[in-house]
Amino acid sequence: MEYHPTPMADLSIDDVNRVAALAKLRLTPEEAQALLHDLQGILGHIDTLQDVDVEGIEPMASPLEHTNRLRPDTPQATLDKQAILDLAPETQGDFVSVPRVLEGHAE
Amino acid sequence: MSLPTTALDIAEAVQTGSASARTIIDAAISRIEAHDAAITAFEDVRADQARAMADAVDARIASGDTNLPLAGVPVAVKDCIAVAGEPMTCGSRILEGYVCPFSATAIERLVNAGAVLLGRTRCDEFAMGSSTEHCVSGPVSNPWATDRVPGGSSGGSAAAVAAGFVPVALGTDTGGSIRQPAALCGITGFKPSQGRVPRWGQVSFAPSMDQIGPFTRTAADAAAVMQVISGHDERDATSAADALGMIDLDGDLSGLRIGITKEHRSDDNHPAVNAAVDAAADTCRDLGATIVDVSLKATDLGIACYYVIGPAEASSNLARFDGVRYGRRAAGSSDLAEMYERSRTEGFGPEARRRIVLGTWVLSAGYYDAYYNRALKVRRLISNEYTAQFANVDLLLGPTTPAPAFRKGAISDPVSMYLCDRYTVTANIAGLCGCSIPFGMAQDDDDTLPVGVQLLGPVLGDATVLRAAHVLQSASTHHLAQPVMA
């Protein structure tokens, strides 16, 4: 099945809510409307990239383009376990705890 | 007796015993207590800990330690660079209550060099902004006119140096967040080449463009800080392998070819901005440099390219803030998915949300090739254009910003705010180094405001940029102007 993305100019509130949900953000209707307006403005500017001839140009993910640089594989000090647990909002014993993950599997 | 004010003068005074680190830090704390209520550059001033650090530096001097190039120099730190044992919020509610378990490489190196950490400075949330108005604890005022912004995102660090609170502050620059506030606050701001300063301990916004760098009054101080904080660290595999080396600041500019980018000397700029560039070019010529006109067409695409790549990387990096392992968790969620959503929705402010959604968008199925991949190709075109220019010139000179500091609240439209960075973002896109130095004043309504010019150098050309900035300052007085504090 071929997927046809919405052209930027035709963005809808549903698109904004769908992408916000992908990013784990929940918007009120007013926030979604404001964001739609902002994104239309920003994407209108970004669309100037579509006019550039990039035929045969390789993408450049970083200006550094290093080859892999490996360090010696030797044991090193890490953060103390308790220091890491102390950062977590909720813990149980040596674990970070979260609300239930799946329906029907109560804690 | 008046105390020294530059980092180099302070270090010399502390090293030779003509002033103690304790005296220096006490004076800095007093000045902040007297004046920061009107500026709110600082998120947090840790006076007791700073005094203890200063005492430790004095003890190291007394015990014969001669390896303290920044002895007793007070340093303020942008609130997105980790200092062990200190809170760090990144200007965001989502890091409420967070305390850093380790220090950034740059911080470790500053402390080893004898610097005294004085506190954290306010910034736009996750370093996203050009005005420091997007900070959860409130905005920062420009010391030259307190109803105006200091620039951003490192506005607190820039204002802290401009107000004379500290001789050195660390900022971060992903699209201009050091150079732009330096220009708007009338101080020196240096954005190192990508990889020069390890990013270990710097909260990632867009790692292919993020760099830590110094705010100072003088380019000589910026060079002194760079000697300390630059250099490879294996904890950041993208940090540059080759060392910066000792920067020789002496001499003039003879033999240097400096290009003026035509496209940046625009009628859209405030007239004082173009006048500052002309004045800087004339001074460079007087100092022996050859000035040539250059054209950089692809730089017009900078903002469009940046606002694809930056948000794409940000949406990925900010995925880690989910309320699970650190930071603020929303209370009372019935399952994990709701907890993620509520923690992030309550935790992120409007600008961070905008960029996360935009970034998620350009990376999503159907848009990746049309936007993200295309922006990466345009990035190479921009980079290639700079590479071609730097085969012909040693440095580029131009405006740092199109205009001096604007009033708080004056720019509410995101695109207009983003365009404030149109002369700075291409350096991050291409990995270049750049230094903004004050080079004149603008009259805007009743306010007299500083104007900056920017020297850009090729990747790893940091020493040449810093030397040229220093030579320019040695032959001029613009960097000596200071705001009158209420």
Side-chain angles (χ1 to χ4, degrees):
Chain A
M1 191 180 80
E2 210 176 332
Y3 176 66
H4 293 286
T6 317
M8 291 291 183
D10 303 332
L11 287 179
S12 70
I13 281 289
D14 289 346
D15 293 321
V16 171
N17 284 320
R18 180 179 59 81
V19 175
L22 287 174
K24 297 279 180 281
L25 293 168
R26 186 184 302 181
L27 306 172
T28 65
E30 295 74 27
E31 286 167 343
Q33 196 60 50
L35 194 54
L36 174 66
H37 174 81
D38 291 345
L39 288 173
Q40 281 168 335
I42 296 165
L43 294 168
H45 185 79
I46 287 172
D47 267 335
T48 56
L49 296 178
Q50 304 303 329
D51 303 330
V52 183
D53 179 6
V54 292
E55 187 65 33
I57 304 294
E58 282 296 305
M60 184 184 204
S62 163
L64 296 167
E65 304 193 287
H66 295 309
T67 50
N68 273 340
R69 191 188 298 121
L70 304 178
R71 65 168 170 74
D73 186 19
T74 49
Q76 300 190 9
T78 62
L79 290 177
D80 176 62
K81 181 174 69 181
Q82 193 56 47
I84 292 170
L85 286 167
D86 287 347
L87 295 174
E90 282 181 52
T91 55
Q92 252 179 52
D94 280 353
F95 298 94
V96 173
S97 64
V98 293
R100 69 178 182 187
V101 178
L102 294 171
E103 196 67 40
H105 289 251
E107 55 251 61
Chain B
M1 180 194 112
S2 71
L3 292 169
T5 54
T6 67
L8 286 170
D9 287 348
I10 288 170
E12 190 187 354
V14 172
Q15 286 158 358
T16 58
S18 69
S20 68
R22 180 59 183 266
T23 313
I24 299 289
I25 205 73
D26 280 339
I29 292 166
S30 298
R31 187 162 171 85
I32 292 167
E33 285 171 350
H35 297 292
D36 197 40
I39 307 296
T40 59
F42 281 91
E43 179 66 29
D44 186 18
V45 179
R46 301 184 78 247
D48 292 345
Q49 289 88 336
R51 289 191 176 102
M53 284 185 84
D55 289 345
V57 170
D58 287 328
R60 282 167 75 182
I61 299 281
S63 72
D65 191 340
T66 55
N67 193 22
L68 299 169
L70 297 176
V73 173
V75 175
V77 180
K78 185 179 184 180
D79 194 16
C80 63
I81 301 170
V83 179
E86 302 278 343
M88 177 174 65
T89 71
C90 297
S92 180
R93 195 179 179 207
I94 208 162
L95 276 173
E96 200 176 271
Y98 180 78
V99 176
C100 302
F102 62 88
S103 285
T105 307
I107 296 294
E108 290 176 350
R109 290 175 178 175
L110 285 173
V111 172
N112 286 339
V116 176
L117 305 179
L118 188 44
R120 294 177 290 135
T121 56
R122 287 184 179 179
C123 59
D124 284 304
E125 187 172 8
F126 286 102
M128 297 171 179
S130 308
S131 67
T132 317
E133 293 171 294
H134 291 290
C135 175
V136 71
S137 42
V140 175
S141 300
N142 191 313
W144 289 88
T146 53
D147 63 338
R148 291 177 187 258
V149 303
S153 65
S154 316
S157 284
V161 172
F165 298 151
V166 283
V168 176
L170 289 188
T172 64
D173 190 317
T174 304
S177 285
I178 291 173
R179 290 160 289 155
Q180 186 255 18
L184 269 45
C185 287
I187 58 171
T188 300
F190 183 67
K191 182 262 178 210
S193 299
Q194 194 62 20
R196 236 347 152 196
V197 180
R199 292 180 297 104
W200 176 256
Q202 172 186 6
V203 176
S204 287
F205 157 14
S208 80
M209 300 186 282
D210 294 338
Q211 266 290 283
I212 292 174
F215 289 99
T216 53
R217 300 211 75 84
T218 66
D221 275 2
V225 173
M226 282 303 295
Q227 305 274 199
V228 168
I229 66 175
S230 64
H232 182 66
D233 179 350
E234 67 181 23
R235 294 171 297 184
D236 173 8
T238 65
S239 57
D242 62 326
L244 177 59
M246 282 303 290
I247 303 170
D248 180 9
L249 294 174
D250 294 334
D252 59 17
L253 300 179
S254 52
L256 278 190
R257 288 172 64 82
I258 299 178
I260 310 286
T261 308
K262 282 192 305 202
E263 290 82 356
H264 294 187
R265 207 193 164 293
S266 158
D267 288 342
D268 294 340
N269 294 341
H270 189 288
V273 168
N274 289 334
V277 174
D278 293 345
D282 288 344
T283 308
C284 287
R285 203 180 280 114
D286 293 345
L287 291 163
T290 304
I291 302 292
V292 294
D293 278 339
V294 302
S295 174
L296 280 160
K297 294 197 170 58
T299 58
D300 283 350
L301 297 165
I303 291 291
C305 185
Y306 181 82
Y307 278 95
V308 174
I309 297 171
E313 293 190 33
S315 71
S316 171
N317 278 289
L318 270 53
R320 74 191 63 184
F321 299 102
D322 57 6
V324 175
R325 291 153 300 155
Y326 40 73
R328 184 180 176 282
R329 176 183 293 188
S333 301
S334 60
D335 63 29
L336 184 65
E338 184 189 353
M339 192 277 281
Y340 287 151
E341 212 170 73
R342 289 184 47 198
S343 297
R344 287 169 62 79
T345 300
E346 293 174 16
F348 290 124
E351 185 59 32
R353 284 192 217 177
R354 247 191 307 269
R355 298 206 200 183
I356 290 169
V357 170
L358 179 59
T360 306
W361 205 310
V362 299
L363 291 175
S364 65
Y367 295 103
Y368 184 94
D369 275 324
Y371 287 87
Y372 182 63
N373 220 27
R374 176 169 279 269
L376 294 185
K377 292 176 183 177
V378 174
R379 176 184 216 168
R380 187 175 297 282
L381 290 176
I382 294 172
S383 177
N384 287 349
E385 199 168 31
Y386 275 117
T387 303
Q389 289 300 344
F390 283 125
N392 182 37
V393 299
D394 299 288
L395 299 170
L396 292 166
L397 171 69
T400 311
T401 62
F406 48 91
R407 288 204 168 76
K408 290 175 190 166
I411 301 181
S412 56
D413 165 54
V415 176
S416 303
M417 187 70 93
Y418 298 168
L419 286 168
C420 294
D421 295 337
R422 62 180 175 269
Y423 300 138
T424 50
V425 291
T426 44
N428 304 76
I429 289 169
L432 314 178
C433 52
C435 190
S436 179
I437 58 172
F439 222 84
M441 303 298 280
Q443 203 62 39
D444 199 68
D445 295 338
D446 290 339
D447 294 323
T448 304
L449 303 164
V451 172
V453 298
Q454 173 178 236
L455 285 161
L456 289 179
V459 179
L460 302 184
D462 305 62
T464 308
V465 169
L466 286 164
R467 190 174 77 84
H470 170 73
V471 172
L472 265 176
Q473 290 183 341
S474 302
S476 59
T477 57
H478 302 289
H479 62 293
L480 303 177
Q482 290 188 42
V484 178
M485 302 289 290

